[in-house]
């Protein structure tokens, strides 16, 4: 059997969905992840070792045609070690940039020439005083590294908040960002293959609560209007520059704030992204398949939407950690549940459901129906 | 982890596509198949033991919530053994009926009341003489059991053919069928869940060569015309009766001959079916997901087509056994390759590609493009 083999660092739900998209393409998979159990376990080989473990990396690399990652906090050193031995996409520069909010913001501002919120590097309490004076309140203090789902972030409304936040976060490398009174958050899934061809999905509009993504609508509302098309064009221009500057291969997600009809870059993720899960059914070729096509050096698939789609995350309910079964969404119609095979834990992303509809009105009704299923679970009703 | 587990007898491409459809639903899988290597191997647990091996069946059944099969030649005795211990769908009566062409034709004629080609049981050369006299030439001599992809079948055009065929097939339980001068072959994918709810896909039109399915078009051409709707209604009536008579749970495929605007039942398969592979992308809920929903007792998914679809089988080329890579079809657009992870062998079904288009004309152009990819492979051009 000579089917191509892809090695993936990280074995969470993104890895699981990559494998599910890749098996039909004739690809094989090997994962590396130190977690005691992983989303990919029932459906692919996994080495259960630390990302930094060189013998494990050597075993991981053996017989693999190309490596990629589904988790942006894998050590850059591991990616560099692998890249000396086989193709790794996206490359180390993209990973390094994405891992540090200061490098990332600087990259988008200086290399890409994209609007970003004002920011200051904070390495001491003196820096924090100067930075708050510079940016004014409210502002947001963030760890430069290892933040996700709103973790490692504090909104500062006054000096007392700043002192409190410093007690918690002081000692980590930090960045202070000016607060952007944005009207909404949107994200762009961009993809570039080994030949340098690019493709872009329609912008998704993202809704968070408690710092966790709950709902993504694709295309974002207003997409077909002149102002919606202008946003799409601005996002694609920024993404095209960033992809080229990083010699990027694979799917790149860029999150934006929309403010007064223009986009500011918030952050990027050098991987497939939660706001793009709806592309599996919602577009001709989903982000997972396109990431694989890109890293294999194959022609990219069509990113056009089939219908209006909504991606609703299934997050462990506060009380029990449970989420509704696939069956609970069946009555909604054209609803596609995706479970990640993860054990229950409150606040944990354990799945998502994608809803498709031919009109925005019908889609809104389906989103409401899905939210009712979720609310019933939280209130203890059987679903 | 308490996600439901499904046990599947047979670990070929149908099992592989069931698992790929079932993981997103939060299901787990265990396969049993004696083959040294299997399509499901990279992506699911498999017991490599004979279907008749009772200790293996016991191990297979352990911790499984429901069992099903993806291969209609599994021993009925194994299904009965399992059915005494856990839910097995479809049940033994359906399997037994499908395994024997004589039982099958008798079932459709007498229990369902469906038109079938004339047939006679043949157990001796004397029976064969009587049966050919009864049905006339041409006629078709078939083994009652274990035929697939045209194997175990001989068309008889005269007495000499009959004598030749008897030399080959005499000794097996046989059936002689009158030759039906049919205009085309169509198939219906029907599904019934544990609650007795049914759903039906649009008829598919099937094209064979060398006894192997090459192309299925869904909905079948002419589907929207009054005569097309009449065929759909006749097929659904027959399927509804058959499902009820067998207390059937799961996907049932029925193959029909169309003759003078009406359908005659040719045969059935108590499982997901090659002519339904295009439902994965071509309908709201594909046959693999619907089979799983049915055997789990969940609400069935919508069987409505999204667009016109064509399913083109990727069969090992005569010379090399190789098939085109997924990449070769990418330029066609809205083309979805499915590789089965099977090693090359001439004449072996190793994958399929589904083509979608908004009009029949565009679909026909895509089918032609896919056939060119296949022809280039056979003529030795790199694809």
């Amino acid at each position: 059997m000579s089917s191509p083999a892809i090695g993936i660092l990280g074995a969470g739900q993104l890895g699981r969905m990559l494998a599910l998209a890749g098996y039909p393409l004739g690809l094989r998979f090997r994962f590396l992840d130190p977690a005691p159990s992983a989303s990919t376990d029932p459906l692919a080989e996994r080495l259960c070792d630390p990302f930094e473990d060189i013998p494990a990396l050597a075993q991981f690399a053996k017989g693999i045609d190309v490596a990629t990652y589904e988790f942006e906090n894998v050590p850059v050193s591991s990616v560099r070690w692998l890249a000396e031995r086989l193709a790794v996409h996206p490359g180390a520069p993209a990973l390094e940039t994405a891992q540090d909010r200061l490098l990332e913001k600087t990259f988008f501002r200086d290399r890409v020439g994209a609007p970003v919120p004002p920011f200051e590097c904070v390495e001491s309490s003196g820096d924090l005083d100067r930075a708050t004076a510079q940016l004014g309140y409210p502002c947001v203090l963030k760890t430069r590294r290892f933040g996700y789902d709103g973790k490692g972030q504090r909104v500062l409304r006054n000096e007392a908040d700043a002192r409190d936040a410093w007690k918690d976060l002081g000692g980590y490398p930090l960045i202070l960002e000016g607060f952007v009174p944005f009207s909404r958050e949107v994200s762009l899934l961009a993809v570039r293959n080994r030949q340098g061809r690019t493709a872009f999905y329609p912008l998704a509009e993202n809704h968070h609560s408690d710092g966790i993504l709950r709902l993504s609508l694709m295309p974002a509302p207003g997409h077909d209007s002149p102002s919606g098309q202008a946003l799409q064009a601005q996002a694609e221009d920024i993404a095209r520059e960033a992809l080229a500057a990083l010699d990027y291969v694979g799917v790149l997600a860029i999150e934006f704030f929309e403010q007064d009809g223009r986009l500011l870059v918030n952050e990027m993720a050098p991987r497939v992204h939660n706001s793009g899960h709806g592309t599996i059914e919602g577009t001709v070729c989903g982000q997972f398949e396109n990431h694989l096509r890109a890293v294999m050096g194959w022609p990219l698939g069509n990113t056009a939407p089939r219908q209006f789609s909504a991606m609703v995350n299934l997050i462990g309910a506060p009380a029990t950690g449970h989420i509704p079964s696939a069956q609970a969404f069946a009555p909604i119609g054209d609803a596609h549940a995706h479970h990640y095979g993860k054990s229950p834990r409150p606040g944990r992303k354990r799945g998502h459901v994608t809803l498709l509809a031919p009109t925005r009105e019908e889609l809104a009704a389906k989103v409401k129906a899905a939210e009712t299923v979720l609310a019933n679970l939280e209130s203890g009703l059987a679903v």
Side-chain angles (χ1 to χ4, degrees), chain A:
Chain A
M1 298 279 301
S2 59
S3 49
I6 296 193
I8 303 184
L9 300 170
Q13 64 265 28
L14 304 180
R16 178 173 161 118
M17 289 186 277
L18 283 167
L20 290 173
Y23 283 125
L25 304 177
L27 303 174
R28 290 176 302 135
F29 294 89
R30 178 184 295 151
F31 289 88
L32 173 65
D33 194 312
S37 77
S39 279
T40 64
D41 282 348
L43 55 89
E45 175 191 355
R46 177 170 69 100
L47 308 181
C48 183
D49 291 294
F51 294 124
E52 303 81 356
D53 182 330
I54 297 294
L57 284 172
Q59 199 189 336
F60 171 76
K62 209 172 158 182
I64 290 299
D65 294 285
V66 53
T68 184
Y69 42 89
E70 57 96 81
F71 174 58
E72 71 268 41
N73 288 329
V74 295
V76 173
S77 58
S78 301
V79 167
R80 286 199 204 287
W81 189 92
L82 287 169
E84 284 169 16
R85 287 153 181 88
L86 77 165
V88 185
H89 300 295
L95 182 64
E96 198 158 32
T97 305
Q99 284 184 353
D100 184 323
R101 291 182 191 282
L102 185 68
L103 292 185
E104 185 181 54
K105 287 245 163 23
T106 306
F107 167 77
F108 276 103
R109 185 187 62 191
D110 299 347
R111 288 284 302 279
V112 176
V116 298
F119 62 91
E120 297 289 336
C121 176
V122 172
E123 295 183 335
S124 66
S125 66
D127 282 353
L128 182 57
D129 292 343
R130 275 186 293 277
T132 53
Q134 181 78 21
L135 301 179
Y137 295 103
C139 51
V140 189
L141 187 65
K142 299 179 177 179
T143 55
R144 282 170 54 181
R145 298 170 62 84
F146 304 125
Y148 70 98
D149 287 350
K151 294 184 172 72
Q153 301 198 11
R154 298 283 292 268
V155 176
L156 313 184
R157 299 186 186 283
N158 49 49
E159 241 176 87
D161 282 354
R163 279 194 303 272
D164 271 3
W166 182 256
K167 276 185 213 149
D168 276 7
L169 301 177
Y172 294 102
L174 300 172
I175 181 173
L176 188 75
E177 299 179 6
F179 184 84
V180 177
F182 59 88
S183 53
R184 59 174 178 168
E185 192 204 285
V186 296
S187 57
L188 184 74
L189 280 305
V191 57
R192 182 172 180 267
N193 72 5
R194 289 167 81 155
Q195 291 75 22
R197 303 294 284 268
T198 56
F200 306 95
Y201 289 92
L203 282 169
E205 179 181 297
N206 302 325
H207 297 263
H208 295 76
S209 112
D210 299 329
I212 304 177
L213 182 65
R214 305 281 162 160
L215 169 69
S216 288
L217 300 167
M218 185 187 287
H223 182 260
D224 287 338
S225 69
S227 61
Q229 291 294 297
L231 290 181
Q232 181 76 29
Q234 190 202 347
E236 291 187 11
D237 286 345
I238 290 169
R240 204 176 282 108
E241 285 295 321
L243 291 169
L246 295 165
D247 194 17
Y248 194 96
V249 172
V251 166
L252 173 72
I254 307 180
E255 293 180 23
F256 299 95
F257 298 130
E258 181 184 346
Q259 184 189 27
D260 301 330
R262 67 158 197 168
L263 300 178
L264 287 77
V265 174
N266 177 27
E267 61 182 28
M268 73 175 188
R271 53 166 169 81
V272 287
H273 191 257
N274 196 168
S275 65
H277 292 355
T279 61
I280 296 175
E281 294 89 4
T283 67
V284 173
C285 182
Q287 67 167 348
F288 298 97
E289 178 169 340
N290 254 334
H291 182 72
L292 297 171
R293 288 178 180 233
V295 303
M296 290 297 300
W298 292 355
L300 297 176
N302 188 342
T303 53
R306 290 202 189 279
Q307 296 193 51
F308 295 102
S309 69
M311 190 288 310
V312 178
N313 268 339
L314 304 181
I315 293 165
T320 63
H322 288 296
I323 57 166
S325 71
Q327 160 180 33
F329 297 102
I332 296 174
D334 218 342
H336 305 272
H338 294 259
H339 286 242
Y340 303 157
K342 291 164 87 168
S343 52
R345 189 189 302 162
R348 190 177 207 194
K349 288 179 187 169
R350 293 189 57 219
H352 73 267
V353 59
T354 298
L355 311 166
L356 297 188
T359 66
R360 288 213 182 273
E361 292 65 36
E362 287 169 75
L363 187 64
K366 287 186 175 196
V367 170
K368 196 163 262 183
E371 284 170 348
T372 302
V373 170
L374 294 170
N376 285 347
L377 182 78
E378 299 210 11
S379 68
L381 295 180
V383 289

